[in-house]
Amino acid sequence: MIGQREALRLYGCEVFDPAGQRVGIVGRFFLDEDTEQPAWITVQTGLFGTNESFVPLDGAAFDGDTLTVSVLKETVRQSPRITVDHGGDLLREQERALYLYYGLEYM
């Protein structure tokens, strides 16, 4: 599990999938409201990092330089496109859609 201290070091790190394919670069991270632990990151993908996709931190591993997530690059590429409001929080419907898409239990 990636804690808050590690999460602060994630920004700008390269992200790889379990097969070793480069997914992109960490943009932002989002905390779970209940546990206050990092639960999601955004990954900047596409030409010049113009796209941003949400990726769960569940099952991810951080070695200090790179982050390996538990989902494949293609899965991230096809994930729901979500725009975060200016407050920086996901809406409940957005959060639910991400959990459903990635096959995670939504609480």
Side-chain angles (χ1 to χ4, degrees):
M1 179 159 118
I2 294 173
Q4 287 184 9
R5 184 171 290 174
E6 287 176 307
L8 294 173
R9 296 181 19 223
L10 291 176
Y11 180 76
C13 287
E14 287 190 292
V15 178
F16 292 89
D17 75 0
Q21 289 198 7
R22 186 179 182 277
V23 179
I25 294 178
V26 174
R28 298 182 281 174
F29 69 91
F30 293 80
L31 301 177
D32 179 288
E33 285 183 359
D34 296 329
T35 66
E36 295 186 6
Q37 293 300 311
W40 296 90
I41 57 166
T42 60
V43 177
Q44 298 168 350
T45 61
L47 191 59
F48 306 114
T50 55
N51 296 326
E52 201 168 32
S53 301
F54 278 82
V55 179
L57 283 174
D58 188 43
F62 181 56
D63 69 6
D65 293 319
T66 60
L67 178 69
T68 302
V69 294
S70 63
V71 295
L72 295 173
K73 178 179 182 174
E74 189 62 26
T75 303
V76 174
R77 234 182 103 242
Q78 296 177 6
S79 67
R81 295 289 164 230
I82 294 180
T83 304
V84 179
D85 67 4
H86 296 294
D89 292 328
L90 287 172
L91 300 175
R92 255 247 194 267
E93 307 84 57
Q94 294 171 323
E95 187 178 47
R96 187 175 296 121
L98 286 170
Y99 274 85
L100 180 65
Y101 175 76
Y102 283 110
L104 301 171
E105 184 180 342
Y106 183 70
M107 299 192 196

